[in-house]
Amino acid sequence: MARETLNILIGGEAGQGLVTVGELLARCLVRSGRHLQVTQGYMSRIRGGHNTFVLRTSVHEVPAPAEGFDLVVALDPATARIHEPELKPEGLIVVDEAWGLTGGNLWAVPYKTLASGRYMNTASLGVIGALIGLGTPVLLAALEKAFGKKHPDQAAENANTLEKAYAWTRENRSDGFHLAPAQPGPTRLILNGNDAISLGAMAAGVRFCAFYPMTPATTIALNLADRAAKLGLVVEQAEDEIAAVNMAVGAAYTGLPSLVSTSGGGFALMVEGISLAAMLETPLVAAVIQRPGPATGLPTRTAQADLEYVLFSGHGEFPRAIFAPGTIDQCFHRTVQAFHLAEDSQGPVFILSDQFLSDSLRDTAPFDLASVTAVNPADRHRAALEAMGSADPSAPYQRYALTPSGISPRLLPGLSEHLVVSDSDEHTEDGHLTEDLDVARKMVEKRLKKADLIRSRIVPPDFWGDDPADLLLVGWGSTLGAMIEAGQSLRDRGRRVGVLHFSQVWPLAPEQFLVRLESAGRVVAVEGNATGQLANLIRRETGFRIDAVVLRYDGLPLTPEFILRGLEE
Amino acid sequence: MVDIKEYGQFETAWCPGCGNHQIIQAVKRALAEEGLRPRQVLMVSGIGQAAKSPHYLRANVFNGLHGRALPAATGARLANPGLKVLIESGDGCSYGEGGNHFLAGIRRNIDVTYIVHDNQIYGLTKGQASPTTEFGFVTKAQPQGVFNTPFNPVAAAVGLRCGFVARGFSGDVDHLAGLIRAGMAHRGFALIDVLQPCVSFNKVNTFAWYKKRVQPLGPEYDPADWAVALQTAHEWGDRIPLGVIYRDETRVPLEDRIPALASGSLIGRPVNQTVLAEIMREYE
């Protein structure tokens, strides 16, 4: 019988190419009309160790990763051993005949007779493709797209190997893992959270990105660097995160929409620069892709433990906004919003994601690029200049003019006769440093006044499920899918369940969600940290106390099963 | 030439007799003599007494964080290569807190003129040792004397083959203004380490102490000779050489290497929707 859903783990050592096989397979599945969600697990090393690439694929949308595997494709013997306990009863572990492993669920493939050394991964792709019932055309097309241009000399051998492995598998195994047929619909994109943040930044008009390499944030800068020449942007690898953030503030002051991307430890180094952006009232978008801490923590695993850190980052008091996307689509759109909010509020805005979402390839509808407006500080400059009319350029330009909204018209340096003066010291309206304490008080109030604008644009939390709910799951960021799937599973058993998901975690507007908390029977916070940071924040902001929590802090993403087990406890 | 009056005259927070007064005079003179108008100039600084300099002349100003003037100036240059960017900060800000950026900035070869007010002491925090304080110098923070050997910024910059390395003295404004002009004319990273007395906290390296030792390099000196430059950079005793110590005009500034900047500043450029759509299609 054909399967509607399959959970496939490809495992091996770092450097064996499992990500290549996984990505090719992902592309084939999406091209043939299936949906998927990828969870990547890898160790902090270049070679060896044990890495995994899990594809959960279905003819329906796939909201979350799941536990229990239908297929384990082992590229090394350790994978077979490590994941045997996670195999579903009717599952299959595909191994290399050469390892001499035997067992009930093991199926040995004579890779040596199917492929020569460097084509082993192509053979695996052929084996998996045949097992799950993908046609050879879609597999060959994916191979051609991936390697055709880069290695034309290997094209024929790649195709031969794939067909040979495919045919062998069809002859020797006809049972049970075929996916139900699907009709390819309109074109889908296949991309991960960091890809979507990068695309969002590009669409929003990013022109400058400075970074210091740090997993799992690096790919954002790499995506931008790859397109910098053709799209017209500057990407600079800095000597450290301190330099990165100060470069970005310098570029933003001068007139380029700017982005920094980092993770916890690197963000810690950036924090004084965040405060600088706030003081200079300079737009800055910071993408913080979380991994477990403290300190170096688990460099390649996932966590949601830096909400409070980002919320309180930077000395002194200033307004900010923090977005926490839960889907690929939200990664794109919240990033666009972050650039606009940074530009409009003239200050720092954060995108808080995590390793799980950053690496999780998923199929999604193409973004409506035509509906996205890019920020353009030069337009603002021109408008501000026009509003100043024939102001005498020898009189100091009031970069920090006190206004009812707290937002001062921003000119850019060098583009007019007016001089733009900005100082990290407390300053007068014309930007020069001051120790006039009356001015200091007014400037504090001016900066905080900008919170009104930020508050006027809060993205309300999304609600899914039954209203009122007997059980309400509350979470933020990447846990959205797991909460919905856990919730659906309980609804299928007759429970009234709701999910409240925050894709913006600061500021909070109680009027948008407090009634849902109060009207629910039982409220449970679901978070990837050990202390319930969102639950604590909600209590601080609303007085509503969420007593029950399902928390995960072992470096792995929340799954529906984990949540269900947690609810039973 | 631009009238130096365009750069204004301001009351300062500096001690009477501080070398800063002469240095800012030299900066203003160099800017005016180079024919630059205030709107074309961006002065970047960190924190410290020297870092207040940008407030005492008319120009665009980015007075950022302690030690971080150079990265901010780098971002500003990459954002608008049409701006003439000068950095003014002290020895603590530039070589201590900002030491990593100093090394990276020279390697990056961003086109900025970095004027370091080097008085061999932390002035604003009242007299602790700086990276350039001499060995054995006694302060309240180093009561047994400084244990660290002093950092030689000029030798370090020459060692890194920085394209323009000069040493000036606040007591010779004409000479210093000439160095700053030459530094601004150089395309790429230009370091001008300026010796200056701190009348409040450095009672050793006084105006008289410097005056006795500093000697401008003569016309026979060839700053293109790296080995000689390295040797000259290490001269520090009865004679302290002043002038352009090393110069290499062949190094290409970072700005020239970035494809996106080939057609000038990116400020105000609309997003190319065709290219953006192509990039999205790469994910199909």
Side-chain angles (χ1 to χ4, degrees):
Chain A
M1 204 181 83
R3 309 288 193 95
E4 291 204 331
T5 300
L6 278 178
N7 205 18
I8 305 168
L9 178 143
I10 306 169
E13 294 180 6
Q16 278 195 306
L18 71 146
V19 173
T20 309
V21 177
E23 288 182 351
L24 283 170
L25 186 60
R27 185 152 276 128
C28 295
L29 286 162
V30 174
R31 285 272 167 83
S32 59
R34 275 77 172 203
H35 301 279
L36 63 80
Q37 184 166 133
V38 168
T39 308
Q40 296 199 51
Y42 46 98
M43 298 174 78
S44 186
R45 53 197 284 177
I46 307 301
R47 300 275 164 187
H50 176 65
N51 292 358
T52 56
F53 189 102
V54 175
L55 294 109
R56 189 175 183 217
T57 183
S58 174
V59 293
H60 310 293
E61 300 234 350
V62 182
E67 297 172 8
F69 301 113
D70 301 290
L71 277 177
V72 169
V73 180
L75 302 184
D76 69 341
T79 297
R81 178 171 42 78
I82 294 168
H83 296 286
E84 207 260 320
E86 297 166 275
L87 198 68
K88 289 183 185 169
E90 71 286 12
L92 190 69
I93 302 178
V94 182
V95 296
D96 189 339
E97 192 182 66
W99 302 334
L101 300 175
T102 51
N105 291 317
L106 294 178
W107 183 51
V109 176
Y111 282 108
K112 241 182 216 153
T113 66
L114 300 174
S116 60
R118 61 151 52 130
Y119 298 98
M120 212 59 100
N121 287 329
T122 307
S124 316
L125 184 67
V127 170
I128 306 169
L131 271 174
I132 66 175
L134 290 172
T136 44
V138 73
L139 293 164
L140 289 169
L143 265 186
E144 171 61 23
K145 182 170 167 140
F147 303 118
K149 275 189 197 149
K150 265 188 272 176
H151 306 287
D153 52 314
Q154 297 167 18
E157 185 69 20
N158 256 324
N160 286 342
T161 304
L162 186 120
E163 281 175 347
K164 205 166 160 187
Y166 190 93
W168 185 88
T169 307
R170 290 295 286 260
E171 274 165 36
N172 289 280
R173 191 113 203 165
S174 57
D175 58 337
F177 295 97
H178 279 212
L179 271 169
Q183 277 308 313
T187 305
R188 303 281 284 177
L189 301 180
I190 171 155
L191 73 177
N192 64 35
N194 277 4
D195 294 333
I197 288 172
S198 318
L199 261 182
M202 289 185 253
V206 69
R207 290 290 173 198
F208 188 86
C209 169
F211 76 108
Y212 185 87
M214 183 167 189
T215 306
T218 313
T219 52
I220 293 174
L222 299 187
N223 279 335
L224 296 176
D226 187 32
R227 280 79 179 209
K230 61 178 167 185
L231 200 60
L233 57 108
V234 175
V235 179
E236 182 65 7
Q237 181 178 325
E239 54 273 25
D240 54 34
E241 285 87 348
I242 300 173
V245 72
N246 281 279
M247 281 179 188
V249 176
Y253 156 86
T254 312
L256 296 187
S258 298
L259 172 75
V260 290
S261 60
T262 188
S263 189
F267 183 66
L269 293 182
M270 290 189 178
V271 161
E272 192 187 18
I274 297 297
S275 191
L276 176 70
M279 189 59 156
L280 301 191
E281 302 195 42
T282 301
L284 177 69
V285 176
V288 181
I289 316 300
Q290 300 161 100
R291 65 191 219 187
T296 309
L298 290 165
T300 61
R301 309 294 171 171
T302 202
Q304 293 186 306
D306 292 331
L307 192 167
E308 288 174 348
Y309 185 49
V310 169
L311 175 59
F312 298 117
S313 62
H315 52 295
E317 295 169 297
F318 54 87
R320 73 191 73 201
I322 307 172
F323 294 105
T327 63
I328 300 296
D329 203 57
Q330 286 181 354
C331 283
F332 178 86
H333 288 289
R334 296 298 171 270
T335 301
V336 171
Q337 284 170 305
F339 273 91
H340 279 276
L341 199 52
E343 191 63 35
D344 295 348
S345 69
Q346 301 184 9
V349 173
F350 303 89
I351 302 157
L352 192 55
S353 179
D354 57 40
Q355 178 268 330
F356 162 56
L357 185 56
S358 81
D359 284 329
S360 181
L361 285 170
R362 300 176 193 179
D363 63 299
T364 194
F367 307 119
D368 181 8
L369 298 178
S371 71
V372 175
T373 313
V375 294
N376 193 333
D379 288 347
R380 296 288 175 84
H381 164 88
R382 275 188 291 274
L385 205 54
E386 224 160 87
M388 287 168 69
S390 53
D392 176 10
S394 67
Y397 154 60
Q398 309 280 299
R399 169 65 190 89
Y400 302 98
L402 297 171
T403 64
S405 65
I407 295 154
S408 320
R410 182 163 84 106
L411 294 185
L412 303 177
L415 301 191
S416 77
E417 286 299 319
H418 300 280
L419 302 174
V420 182
V421 176
S422 287
D423 187 2
S424 70
D425 291 271
E426 192 55 273
H427 40 257
T428 47
E429 288 179 89
D430 64 9
H432 285 291
L433 72 88
T434 185
E435 295 194 44
D436 180 324
L437 306 185
D438 187 48
V439 172
R441 179 179 54 78
K442 286 179 180 150
M443 283 294 163
V444 169
E445 289 165 2
K446 164 200 175 3
R447 287 187 291 269
L448 290 174
K449 190 82 183 87
K450 297 193 291 181
D452 291 351
L453 172 83
I454 294 172
R455 281 183 193 284
S456 73
R457 297 211 198 147
I458 296 173
V459 179
D462 290 311
F463 180 80
W464 171 98
D466 301 308
D467 183 27
D470 293 335
L471 171 67
L472 181 64
L473 303 178
V474 179
W476 57 286
S478 72
T479 59
L480 172 64
M483 288 196 294
I484 288 182
E485 198 165 333
Q488 187 56 49
S489 157
L490 293 171
R491 288 173 93 195
D492 292 345
R493 292 180 233 164
R495 301 275 305 272
R496 287 181 60 85
V497 184
V499 169
L500 189 65
H501 175 263
F502 291 80
S503 65
Q504 182 172 357
V505 287
W506 187 260
L508 296 178
E511 67 275 15
Q512 292 175 344
F513 61 88
L514 185 55
V515 66
R516 296 212 189 265
L517 299 176
E518 288 169 344
S519 62
R522 182 186 177 210
V523 181
V524 180
V526 178
E527 302 190 50
N529 57 56
T531 52
Q533 297 190 11
L534 179 68
N536 292 336
L537 188 58
I538 287 173
R539 187 178 175 195
R540 196 190 87 167
E541 293 299 304
T542 68
F544 187 92
R545 189 184 172 120
I546 301 176
D547 284 322
V549 287
V550 174
L551 304 175
R552 181 160 209 176
Y553 40 87
D554 60 358
L556 294 174
L558 277 144
T559 59
E561 294 90 341
F562 187 97
I563 296 171
L564 291 171
R565 281 195 301 273
L567 290 170
E568 279 164 21
E569 278 165 17
Chain B
M1 181 159 156
V2 166
D3 189 343
I4 195 168
K5 287 199 183 104
E6 279 206 39
Y7 285 94
Q9 195 74 42
F10 296 81
E11 198 183 308
T12 75
W14 295 325
C15 310
C18 174
N20 287 345
H21 298 288
Q22 282 78 46
I23 297 174
I24 197 156
Q25 200 49 38
V27 170
K28 284 191 216 171
R29 199 189 287 181
L31 289 168
E33 286 174 4
E34 280 294 295
L36 289 161
R37 306 218 29 242
R39 66 166 285 181
Q40 299 170 282
V41 177
L42 172 61
M43 302 292 302
V44 182
S45 68
I47 295 299
Q49 285 295 67
K52 289 177 182 165
S53 299
H55 293 282
Y56 305 141
L57 54 75
R58 290 188 69 252
N60 294 293
V61 173
F62 186 107
N63 182 179
L65 298 172
H66 187 55
R68 316 305 170 198
L70 182 49
T74 303
R77 268 296 298 176
L78 293 174
N80 187 351
L83 285 171
K84 178 53 83 180
V85 177
L86 281 76
I87 306 173
E88 274 196 85
S89 253
D91 41 316
C93 188
S94 306
Y95 306 138
E97 191 92 357
N100 194 21
H101 312 312
F102 178 70
L103 301 180
I106 291 172
R107 293 177 47 235
R108 193 173 270 125
N109 199 26
I110 187 82
D111 187 357
V112 296
T113 306
Y114 201 153
I115 301 160
V116 182
H117 299 221
D118 186 356
N119 59 8
Q120 302 175 259
I121 203 77
Y122 282 86
L124 189 54
T125 52
K126 300 189 191 300
Q128 302 79 24
S130 89
T132 53
T133 303
E134 291 191 6
F135 187 86
F137 189 100
V138 175
T139 80
K140 279 187 186 167
Q142 288 83 20
Q144 282 79 40
V146 172
F147 299 147
N148 299 347
T149 51
F151 178 67
N152 181 334
V154 172
V158 174
L160 287 165
R161 294 183 186 269
C162 175
F164 184 99
V165 186
R167 186 188 282 128
F169 173 48
S170 66
D172 189 344
V173 173
D174 289 345
H175 182 259
L176 180 56
L179 289 181
I180 296 170
R181 285 189 68 180
M184 287 194 292
H186 172 76
R187 296 200 67 241
F189 192 101
L191 172 70
I192 303 162
D193 185 72
V194 185
L195 302 176
Q196 63 161 141
C198 173
V199 292
S200 297
F201 298 106
N202 189 337
K203 307 293 186 192
V204 177
N205 312 105
T206 60
F207 183 81
W209 187 94
Y210 284 121
K211 191 77 188 158
K212 211 162 71 187
R213 289 168 174 78
V214 293
Q215 262 178 47
L217 292 161
E220 74 293 346
Y221 181 78
D222 177 14
D225 188 326
W226 184 73
V228 170
L230 202 55
Q231 217 170 0
T232 309
H234 278 105
E235 273 188 55
W236 185 270
D238 292 342
R239 183 184 105 109
I240 300 174
L242 296 185
V244 180
I245 303 214
Y246 181 63
R247 188 174 215 160
D248 176 1
E249 297 293 347
T250 64
R251 288 191 63 182
V252 179
L254 174 66
E255 296 88 325
D256 290 8
R257 295 190 187 275
I258 296 179
L261 296 178
S263 47
S265 167
L266 298 168
I267 295 169
R269 204 177 288 184
V271 177
N272 185 327
Q273 294 297 329
T274 313
V275 172
L276 183 65
E278 274 169 29
I279 291 169
M280 188 171 78
R281 276 199 298 275
E282 292 174 30
Y283 293 101
E284 286 178 359

